[in-house]
């Protein structure tokens, strides 16, 4: 394989190198974990416990080990939640320590034979040429740092980032540190979805495609940029510099608006979703929002058609432009671009809306539900049934939070947190104090919600009906925007979302009674009032879990402002979750 010869001045002049580059570790740099039998490690840890054999019948993959340990702890302590939690933490720690010991043996036995030769050369030569190089992985941070040290190689890396840092956050942090445009930061990864998300946010990306190892031959790989494929990393670096694609938002804007379309700026979005770009048509001055939706294109087409029908019925909703007969541009099987017309108005910012405003919102939601019921698909149709609040997949929030708690337990073993006021230490102190309660409450929430979801009638619902998506013009509703979370679900979700969500992290549970009564007055079909309490708990608990996961990444990156603002939010949400623990709506 061709070595990357970027130290020579002539080469350096020809190739514009990225200012920062992030290499994924596993299956890009190192293949050591392929030599560790995690199933065997888990069996060794739990084999002495009753019921363990039925849990480890097959090889474990991904995060299955956490589920297996959690299930075993439940069997051992069915009536003692605190003991179950502590037992699961202990077993998880034993499992991770055993895996790390096996990994140490692999490096001691095989040495650099488990590393990609091209990666070591590329990393060091890029670093020598002035590019800031970082390593990342989904492996727990302290363990990844230990693993990199086990290679016994002089890797010229500025920083090693592991779990819980998210790659998108890491790329933005590096861009901010180097004060450069996103196209000057490159991610090198073997996961197509990670590369797709990096490019979606404007970063460069090189996809590493490893080929199977054949007997008596070295592992070979290919490097995929946006427009080319090569077997030499040097040429991949040259390609991303030469491709220099035009601004994606500007390109998308012109797909809908032609040469008259221009990007005015970005609108910040939450939870690592791609940016929203404010766009204008120069000739008319009309404003739009160019949005990336995490939605299949065929669903977006149907949703765009539905919005147009609702608008035709006189309902105050935004609509999507068409380009060449389509209402979206397909980016992948899971993402697409839409151009939403702006509505003149502003979201309410007061934490104490008056009765007239609350009644207006309830009336609009009731009318939207009636319109969606007649224009949308029926429950058995193949429109998506999941959405950003995650009520159909709370188990994913539980697993993510459980992973974080295991990490925090490991973090305390490696670091002293008492007395330190750094954002990351304050975060872990909060998690040690509150994490067990949040996890156990989330598990109860899921168990209590599922029976109600099964009996609620499902139709098209908004999924994110709250004050930040309702625009007012002089105390009168001008329009409802942001339909990215439309899905097949219960109407009760939209009702509770209004009372539990709000602009600038404000929430409005005090308006619940008035809002529900006003909604029922304007909608002919009764709500399932028994489902309101479980759905309210799910909405808030899931949001808290997602906020905790976000803060874990940002605080480890040392972003002080994230903890300064985020601590108040998670404290408020945690208190609200506690208050809702026994809440039931009284008819």
């Amino acid at each position: 394989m061709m070595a990357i010869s970027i130290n020579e001045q002539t080469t350096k002049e020809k190739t514009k190198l990225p200012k920062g580059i992030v290499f994924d570790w596993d299956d890009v740099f190192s293949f050591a974990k392929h030599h560790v039998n995690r199933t065997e490690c888990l069996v060794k840890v739990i084999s002495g416990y009753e019921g363990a054999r039925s849990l480890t019948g097959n090889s474990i993959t991904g995060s299955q080990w956490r589920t297996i340990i959690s299930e075993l702890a439940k069997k051992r302590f069915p009536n003692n939640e605190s003991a179950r939690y502590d037992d699961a933490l202990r077993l998880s720690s034993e499992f991770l320590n055993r895996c790390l010991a096996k990994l140490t043996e692999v490096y001691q036995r095989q040495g650099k034979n488990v590393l990609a030769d091209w990666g070591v050369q590329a990393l060091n030569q890029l670093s020598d040429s002035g590019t800031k190089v970082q390593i990342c992985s989904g492996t727990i941070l302290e363990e990844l740092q230990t693993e990199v040290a086990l290679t016994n190689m002089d890797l010229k890396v500025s920083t090693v980032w592991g779990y819980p840092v998210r790659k998108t956050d890491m790329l933005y942090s590096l861009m901010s540190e180097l004060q450069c445009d996103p196209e000057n930061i490159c991610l090198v990864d073997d996961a197509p979805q990670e590369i797709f998300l990096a490019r979606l946010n404007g970063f460069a990306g090189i996809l590493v495609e490893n080929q199977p190892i054949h007997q008596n031959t070295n592992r070979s790989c290919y490097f995929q940029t946006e427009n080319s494929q090569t077997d030499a990393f040097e040429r991949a670096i040259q390609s991303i510099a030469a491709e220099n694609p035009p601004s994606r938002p500007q390109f998308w804007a012109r797909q809908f608006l032609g040469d008259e379309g221009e990007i005015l700026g970005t609108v910040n979005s939450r939870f690592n979703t791609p940016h929203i770009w404010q766009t204008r048509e120069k000739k008319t001055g009309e404003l739009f929002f160019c949005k990336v939706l995490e939605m299949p294109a065929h669903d977006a087409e149907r949703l765009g058609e539905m919005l147009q029908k609702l608008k035709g019925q006189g309902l105050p909703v935004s609509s999507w432009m068409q380009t060449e007969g389509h209402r979206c541009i397909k980016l992948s099987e899971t993402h697409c671009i839409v151009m939403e017309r702006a509505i003149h108005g502003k979201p309410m910012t007061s934490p104490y809306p008056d009765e007239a405003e609350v009644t207006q919102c309830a009336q609009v939601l009731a009318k939207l539900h009636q319109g969606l019921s007649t224009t949308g698909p029926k429950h058995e149709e193949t429109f998506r049934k999941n959405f950003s609040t995650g009520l159909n997949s709370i188990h994913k929030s539980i697993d993510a939070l459980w992973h974080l708690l295991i990490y925090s337990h490991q973090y305390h073993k490696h670091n002293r947190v008492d007395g330190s006021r750094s954002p990351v230490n304050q975060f872990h102190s909060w998690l040690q104090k509150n994490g067990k309660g949040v996890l156990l409450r989330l598990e109860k929430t899921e168990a209590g919600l599922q029976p109600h979801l099964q009996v609620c009638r499902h139709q098209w619902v908004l999924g994110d009906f709250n004050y930040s998506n309702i625009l007012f013009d002089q105390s009168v509703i001008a329009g409802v925007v942001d339909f990215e979370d439309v899905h097949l679900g219960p109407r009760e979700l939209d009702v509770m979302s209004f009372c539990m969500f709000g602009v600038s992290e404000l929430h409005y549970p005090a308006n619940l009674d008035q809002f529900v009564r006003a909604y029922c007055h304007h909608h002919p079909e009764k709500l399932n009032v028994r489902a309101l309490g479980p759905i309210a708990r799910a909405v808030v608990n899931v949001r808290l879990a997602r906020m905790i996961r976000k803060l874990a990444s940002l605080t480890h990156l040392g972003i002080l402002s994230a903890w300064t603002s985020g601590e108040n939010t998670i404290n408020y949400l945690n208190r609200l979750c506690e208050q809702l623990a026994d809440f039931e709506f009284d008819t």
Side-chain angles (χ1 to χ4, degrees):
M1 184 177 295
M2 182 186 296
I4 176 169
S5 55
I6 57 179
N7 286 321
E8 299 176 9
Q9 183 65 26
T10 54
T11 307
K12 192 171 181 179
E13 290 172 356
K14 291 179 182 178
T15 305
K16 179 185 176 184
L17 301 177
K19 290 188 175 181
I21 192 162
V22 177
F23 287 92
D24 185 46
W25 180 257
D26 295 313
D27 291 338
V28 173
F29 252 96
S30 171
F31 303 94
K33 288 188 177 68
H34 289 275
H35 300 274
V36 175
N37 189 327
R38 298 205 302 167
T39 304
E40 183 180 284
C41 292
L42 184 60
V43 169
K44 291 265 189 182
V45 170
I46 68 174
S47 59
Y49 299 110
E50 184 179 349
R53 182 173 297 179
S54 63
L55 295 172
T56 56
N58 301 313
S59 297
I60 62 170
T61 58
S63 63
Q64 287 179 343
W65 64 271
R66 294 197 296 273
T67 304
I68 291 170
I69 285 177
S70 180
E71 289 300 315
L72 178 60
K74 284 180 183 178
K75 288 185 176 183
R76 283 168 45 77
F77 299 98
N79 301 315
N80 189 331
E81 291 179 338
S82 182
R84 169 170 64 84
Y85 174 87
D86 293 336
D87 190 53
L89 272 185
R90 179 183 60 80
L91 292 173
S92 298
S93 183
E94 289 182 19
F95 168 73
L96 291 171
N97 289 339
R98 186 171 288 272
C99 288
L100 185 58
K102 289 291 184 182
L103 192 63
T104 301
E105 292 176 11
V106 171
Y107 279 108
Q108 290 173 345
R109 186 173 63 251
Q110 300 194 37
K112 65 179 183 180
N113 292 326
V114 295
L115 300 179
D117 288 339
W118 70 265
V120 175
Q121 297 171 11
L123 183 151
N124 287 340
Q125 293 185 20
L126 281 165
S127 182
D128 287 339
S129 300
T131 297
K132 185 151 191 175
V133 180
Q134 296 185 346
I135 282 176
C136 67
S137 171
T139 300
I140 284 177
L141 177 57
E142 283 74 17
E143 294 184 5
L144 179 61
Q145 292 169 339
T146 300
E147 184 179 348
V148 173
L150 285 171
T151 64
N152 288 319
M153 299 203 59
D154 183 22
L155 297 176
K156 299 176 181 178
V157 180
S158 65
T159 316
V160 175
W161 293 115
Y163 179 88
V165 173
R166 289 170 163 167
K167 289 177 183 174
T168 306
D169 292 335
M170 186 192 319
L171 293 170
Y172 274 113
S173 176
L174 185 57
M175 180 185 75
S176 176
E177 178 186 346
L178 298 176
Q179 298 184 332
C180 63
D181 294 327
E183 58 265 25
N184 290 317
I185 306 293
C186 180
L187 174 66
V188 182
D189 205 307
D190 67 312
Q193 184 67 6
E194 295 286 0
I195 294 295
F196 171 76
L197 291 175
R199 290 172 179 165
L200 201 58
N201 283 273
F203 300 102
I206 298 176
L207 177 65
V208 180
E209 298 179 331
N210 291 301
Q211 305 302 305
I213 299 177
H214 301 290
Q215 192 171 9
N216 299 323
T217 63
N218 294 324
R219 182 186 296 270
S220 61
C221 59
Y222 291 97
F223 304 96
Q224 180 78 48
T225 65
E226 282 204 82
N227 301 317
S228 65
Q229 185 182 64
T230 175
D231 63 353
F233 186 73
E234 177 189 36
R235 288 198 287 272
I237 287 288
Q238 292 171 346
S239 293
I240 62 171
E243 287 169 1
N244 193 22
S247 165
R248 288 179 180 83
Q250 188 66 55
F251 172 77
W252 294 330
R254 287 177 177 171
Q255 293 293 298
F256 286 98
L257 303 172
D259 292 338
E260 290 294 315
E262 65 173 346
I263 298 293
L264 299 180
T266 60
V267 180
N268 290 330
S269 54
R270 296 176 296 187
F271 301 118
N272 289 317
T273 53
H275 283 290
I276 301 170
W277 294 272
Q278 189 175 41
T279 312
R280 179 175 63 188
E281 189 174 32
K282 296 181 202 174
K283 182 182 288 187
T284 63
E286 186 176 2
L287 296 177
F288 302 86
F289 292 101
C290 181
K291 296 183 174 184
V292 178
L293 304 190
E294 191 173 349
M295 179 185 292
H298 57 83
D299 281 353
E301 290 288 351
R302 296 168 69 188
L303 177 54
E305 182 181 353
M306 180 272 295
L307 290 174
Q308 198 61 43
K309 288 181 180 179
L310 292 179
K311 197 171 184 65
Q313 296 171 14
L315 291 171
V317 296
S318 57
S319 60
W320 297 345
M321 282 197 71
Q322 291 194 53
T323 175
E324 298 181 354
H326 296 283
R327 289 184 171 88
C328 70
I329 298 173
K330 180 178 178 180
L331 296 178
S332 70
E333 295 302 317
T334 57
H335 289 74
C336 64
I337 292 285
V338 298
M339 186 69 73
E340 183 177 297
R341 287 185 169 84
I343 293 178
H344 178 73
K346 294 182 179 180
M348 295 298 296
T349 57
S350 169
Y352 306 106
D354 61 38
E355 291 187 8
E357 292 161 355
V358 173
T359 300
Q360 279 187 74
C361 292
Q363 182 177 359
V364 165
L365 180 61
K367 289 183 177 180
L368 283 173
H369 278 165
Q370 291 177 69
L372 289 167
S373 180
T374 57
T375 60
K378 305 303 178 186
H379 181 44
E380 63 273 10
E381 293 195 35
T382 57
F383 196 81
R384 68 176 182 168
K385 299 178 179 66
N386 207 0
F387 41 97
S388 71
T389 44
L391 301 193
N392 279 351
S393 55
I394 295 182
H395 63 279
K396 293 182 179 178
S397 293
I398 292 172
D399 186 62
L401 182 58
W402 181 233
H403 191 185
L404 186 57
L405 290 170
I406 292 170
Y407 167 68
S408 189
H409 182 68
Q410 297 291 98
Y411 180 89
H412 275 256
K413 289 169 59 179
H414 291 89
N415 301 274
R416 294 185 62 186
V417 299
D418 294 338
S420 172
R421 300 299 295 169
S422 69
V424 64
N425 282 349
Q426 290 186 71
F427 170 78
H428 280 287
S429 294
W430 189 96
L431 202 59
Q432 288 293 303
K433 179 181 177 181
N434 301 285
K436 180 193 292 189
V438 174
L439 177 69
L440 297 177
R441 193 172 57 218
L442 196 56
E443 291 177 340
K444 283 184 178 179
T445 296
E446 182 186 36
L449 174 67
Q450 292 309 315
H452 294 283
L453 286 184
Q454 292 170 9
V455 299
C456 286
R457 189 179 76 80
H458 286 57
Q459 64 163 72
W460 274 26
V461 293
L462 304 179
D464 192 24
F465 185 75
N466 65 77
Y467 260 123
S468 62
N469 294 332
I470 305 168
L471 304 183
F472 285 81
D473 185 9
Q474 313 230 338
S475 298
V476 177
I477 291 181
V480 179
V481 298
D482 291 354
F483 294 90
E484 294 93 310
D485 294 323
V486 167
H487 64 281
L488 284 167
R491 292 180 297 129
E492 290 78 6
L493 171 67
D494 286 343
V495 172
M496 299 315 299
S497 291
F498 174 84
C499 298
M500 301 299 152
F501 277 51
V503 68
S504 301
E505 310 302 341
L506 299 171
H507 300 72
Y508 304 95
N511 300 120
L512 174 61
D513 182 74
Q514 179 195 348
F515 185 82
V516 171
R517 294 181 187 280
Y519 175 90
C520 291
H521 179 74
H522 290 96
H523 198 290
E525 187 176 344
K526 290 183 178 180
L527 288 171
N528 181 348
V529 291
R530 296 193 174 202
L532 294 180
I535 288 176
R537 285 188 282 279
V539 167
V540 182
N541 276 278
V542 167
R543 184 149 191 233
L544 172 59
R546 294 174 69 209
M547 191 69 191
I548 290 171
R549 178 65 185 90
K550 179 183 177 71
L551 283 176
S553 177
L554 297 180
T555 54
H556 278 77
L557 285 167
I559 302 175
L560 178 61
S561 59
W563 178 248
T564 302
S565 60
E567 182 184 17
N568 291 333
T569 301
I570 58 175
N571 280 332
Y572 172 80
L573 288 173
N574 195 39
R575 290 194 302 270
L576 182 57
C577 289
E578 292 170 350
Q579 293 167 3
L580 290 171
D582 300 316
F583 163 76
E584 297 298 340
F585 189 82
D586 186 355
T587 57

